[in-house]
Amino acid sequence: MTKINKLALLAGVVGFVTSAHAAGYTGDLLIGFSDGVGNDVIYDLGAPTVITDGANWNLASVTSTFMLTTVNWGVVGNTLVNGANRLCYTTFNITPLPLGAGAASQINTDDKALYTTFTTAGAGQHITIAPTEDNSWNRQTINPTLDVQYANEWENPNIVGTTSFKFWRVQADTSAPILLGTFNLAANGVLTFHTNSVVTTPPPPQITSITRAGNLSTISFTTTNGSFTYKLSYTNATGLKAATSLWATSPTTVSGNGSVQSIPDTTTDTNRFYRVSVQ
């Protein structure tokens, strides 16, 4: 009976087995890289509190096996606090889902699992791991095979290539996520963080949907957090021949908050074209 119980216990923790020499997760932010073919890389960026505007990391040497223009990468982490006061961090280009205490606790378990092959804890430490391992970046955040892995518990925090990626803080009390800034991965392997306050030229808004009910059209579009104002312009088929600066403009404007927002347009014209601009 004793032997059977031991075997059952081992089977229950498969995928989260830790080495006797593993370093314990300290609540630092982790950036992971995976192309699903070669070994994944997971790198400790340091504590969230010390990552300030302009912080940068030269990751060229640790990512030298990847083609950076096609690699999957993202940043995750959480504070080691139980309950609703836990803070979770993630990269995501639209607003991530809010978290309750239970889900955030599982995120903490998954962050710890990503750290199990680190032999030394702390900023600047990194490991490589086969993408087929349960605690790899690929399995936890991109292609999970277990219900309790990161991407199944929350969302996939990855983007592809040398680009900028929004970075969020989410408290485990189901409150709205807060956009902290952006990480940017350059072609030379340098990762840079900028807070929202230095975003002076927002990216062009993208219309995500247009819905119509009766005479009311609702135009939804992406926004950037900051002191940016979004306005809606429109025209009919004849007006397409004119410059967009001559299009009619809705009196309704909205301020950017980093999430998808909407502007309504009441019209009997069922053949109307829309443009959203930001200033």
Side-chain angles (χ1 to χ4, degrees):
M1 178 64 72
T2 301
K3 290 183 178 179
I4 293 175
N5 285 340
K6 287 182 177 179
L7 288 173
L9 177 61
L10 288 172
V13 297
V14 64
F16 299 95
V17 176
T18 62
S19 164
H21 303 290
Y25 176 59
T26 60
D28 285 356
L29 297 181
L30 306 176
I31 184 170
F33 298 87
S34 180
D35 61 10
V37 180
N39 284 342
D40 292 357
V41 170
I42 306 174
Y43 183 97
D44 188 325
L45 295 173
T49 54
V50 301
I51 296 179
T52 56
D53 181 52
N56 64 85
W57 303 258
N58 189 338
L59 304 180
S61 61
V62 299
T63 59
S64 60
T65 59
F66 298 114
M67 182 176 293
L68 291 183
T69 55
T70 58
V71 73
N72 292 273
W73 66 275
V75 177
V76 301
N78 79 98
T79 56
L80 305 180
V81 178
N82 292 326
N85 290 324
R86 189 189 303 277
L87 300 176
C88 293
Y89 299 88
T90 185
T91 41
F92 209 60
N93 259 348
I94 59 175
T95 306
L97 293 172
L99 289 173
S105 178
Q106 182 58 53
I107 294 301
N108 174 51
T109 299
D110 294 333
D111 289 340
K112 287 180 177 179
L114 287 167
Y115 218 76
T116 54
T117 52
F118 279 74
T119 57
T120 303
Q125 300 296 323
H126 77 280
I127 57 97
T128 59
I129 182 172
T132 53
E133 295 290 332
D134 284 331
N135 295 331
S136 67
W137 187 259
N138 175 55
R139 280 284 183 259
Q140 280 285 350
T141 70
I142 305 172
N143 296 303
T145 56
L146 302 172
D147 289 342
V148 293
Q149 286 172 318
Y150 190 101
N152 282 334
E153 289 294 335
W154 198 5
E155 292 168 322
N156 181 334
N158 289 276
I159 200 168
V160 176
T162 50
T163 186
S164 294
F165 206 6
K166 293 180 180 178
F167 180 60
W168 304 80
R169 183 182 71 214
V170 185
Q171 187 165 343
D173 60 358
T174 70
S175 60
I178 296 175
L179 181 63
L180 298 180
T182 58
F183 281 99
N184 180 77
L185 180 65
N188 61 0
V190 173
L191 179 77
T192 305
F193 177 74
H194 284 302
T195 60
N196 285 332
S197 60
V198 299
V199 178
T200 57
T201 305
Q206 302 294 316
I207 293 178
T208 59
S209 67
I210 299 175
T211 59
R212 186 164 174 82
N215 290 337
L216 177 65
S217 296
T218 302
I219 297 83
S220 300
F221 48 90
T222 58
T223 70
T224 298
N225 192 38
S227 301
F228 306 119
T229 300
Y230 293 79
K231 63 181 182 179
L232 178 70
S233 302
Y234 50 86
T235 189
N236 54 24
T238 301
L240 287 175
K241 300 176 182 179
T244 55
S245 60
L246 299 178
W247 290 18
T249 301
S250 170
T252 302
T253 62
V254 298
S255 298
N257 64 358
S259 64
V260 173
Q261 299 214 58
S262 301
I263 294 178
D265 176 41
T266 301
T267 177
T268 57
D269 189 349
T270 58
N271 185 21
R272 183 166 274 191
F273 298 84
Y274 295 99
R275 176 178 181 268
V276 177
S277 57
V278 59
Q279 60 186 22

